[in-house]
Amino acid sequence: MSIHDLQSTISALQSHPPPPPQKITLLLSTAKKQLLHLNALLPTPTTSPQLLLLARQTLETGALLSIRLQDPDAFTRYYQQLTPFYELPSSSFKPEGQGQRNKVTGLYLLLLLTKGDYAGFHTVLEGLEVEIGGATRQPLEKDRYLGYPVKLERWLMEGSYDRVWGATSGEDVPGEEFGVFSEVLIGTIRAEIASCSEKAYPSLPIANAKNLLFLESEGSVVEFARARGWVVKDGRIWFPEQQEGRGEKEGMPSSIVIENTIGYARELETIV
């Protein structure tokens, strides 16, 4: 196995349109074996700049393709393998440059958000802040790929779910790979709001639930409600835990539901 063989494998992985899933898996396995044979799975003082570049390209390609294959565990492994390469100065590679570091790191930050791993998120973020030598996140927020998860995390902490929804469903999404994790994040938020609503209200009008849960149609609301075991009757959703022993008059009026739909979604957990 030679550097030329590795270059051929990388070219096949980066072809457009991309290979079918089974072919991708086979090519990635081949690329890793080639890196292992070339002693380039981890950077060493004797690894040439050209080989360092090819190794980083291979792992970055594997990371991005893992997202297309909807395999977050594989993506996480690739990110971990890339970490020692990202710790090297850009001058270590030939040609020089950071490759797709910001894109891959931004995707990893977004993945941590979908898992609710805020401690891990801030650990990675603090490392980036130390590296740029500043006490502010402003330089990070200006980056297209890093700024996306940084802003989402801030809005999540504020309970500004409407801003999260707007960012994940519009032109602010930096790329196709980010869209995959963004959909998962919205699903996580939707589940959290649904759980809060169950505790806060005996029932909700379907129209209000549509806005509350960021769903496209009332039909989607009905489908979502039935999946959670809610009862749909007379244009309203009735939450199972509240059906017995509690009348709707004890809950909040629907007008307040609308006012609190987004900004106070987390605060609903405290309402009995």
Side-chain angles (χ1 to χ4, degrees), residues 46 83 101 123 132 154 216 226:
T46 59
T83 299
R101 176 185 180 179
T123 297
I132 63 175
R154 184 176 70 247
E216 298 293 336
R226 288 173 175 166

Side-chain angles (χ1 to χ4, degrees), residues 164-178:
V164 175
W165 167 253
T168 57
S169 59
E171 297 179 355
D172 291 337
V173 181
E176 182 180 348
E177 296 89 357
F178 284 83

Side-chain angles (χ1 to χ4, degrees), residues 47-167:
T47 309
S48 69
Q50 180 190 15
L51 190 51
L52 283 174
L53 179 70
L54 290 173
R56 187 182 65 188
Q57 284 182 341
T58 301
L59 297 174
E60 287 177 336
T61 301
L64 298 176
L65 289 175
S66 293
I67 296 176
R68 292 178 180 269
L69 296 175
Q70 298 188 3
D71 190 345
D73 292 336
F75 171 78
T76 299
R77 290 193 294 271
Y78 277 109
Y79 175 80
Q80 292 169 342
Q81 289 177 300
L82 278 164
T83 299
F85 289 91
Y86 288 159
E87 292 174 348
L88 296 173
S90 59
S91 58
S92 299
F93 302 89
K94 186 178 180 180
E96 296 184 10
Q98 292 190 332
Q100 301 194 74
R101 176 185 180 179
N102 286 2
K103 183 176 185 178
V104 173
T105 303
L107 284 164
Y108 183 66
L109 287 169
L110 185 56
L111 174 60
L112 293 175
L113 286 184
T114 67
K115 294 180 175 182
D117 186 359
Y118 293 101
F121 181 93
H122 285 283
T123 297
V124 175
L125 202 59
E126 288 166 9
L128 292 172
E129 291 170 351
V130 169
E131 186 174 329
I132 63 175
T136 174
R137 295 181 182 177
Q138 188 174 0
L140 298 180
E141 290 194 17
K142 289 182 178 179
D143 183 86
R144 181 187 182 194
Y145 299 118
L146 296 175
Y148 181 70
V150 169
K151 292 174 184 177
L152 291 182
E153 188 268 345
R154 184 176 70 247
W155 293 332
L156 286 171
M157 293 298 97
E158 295 172 352
S160 301
Y161 293 150
D162 54 337
R163 300 189 72 175
V164 175
W165 167 253

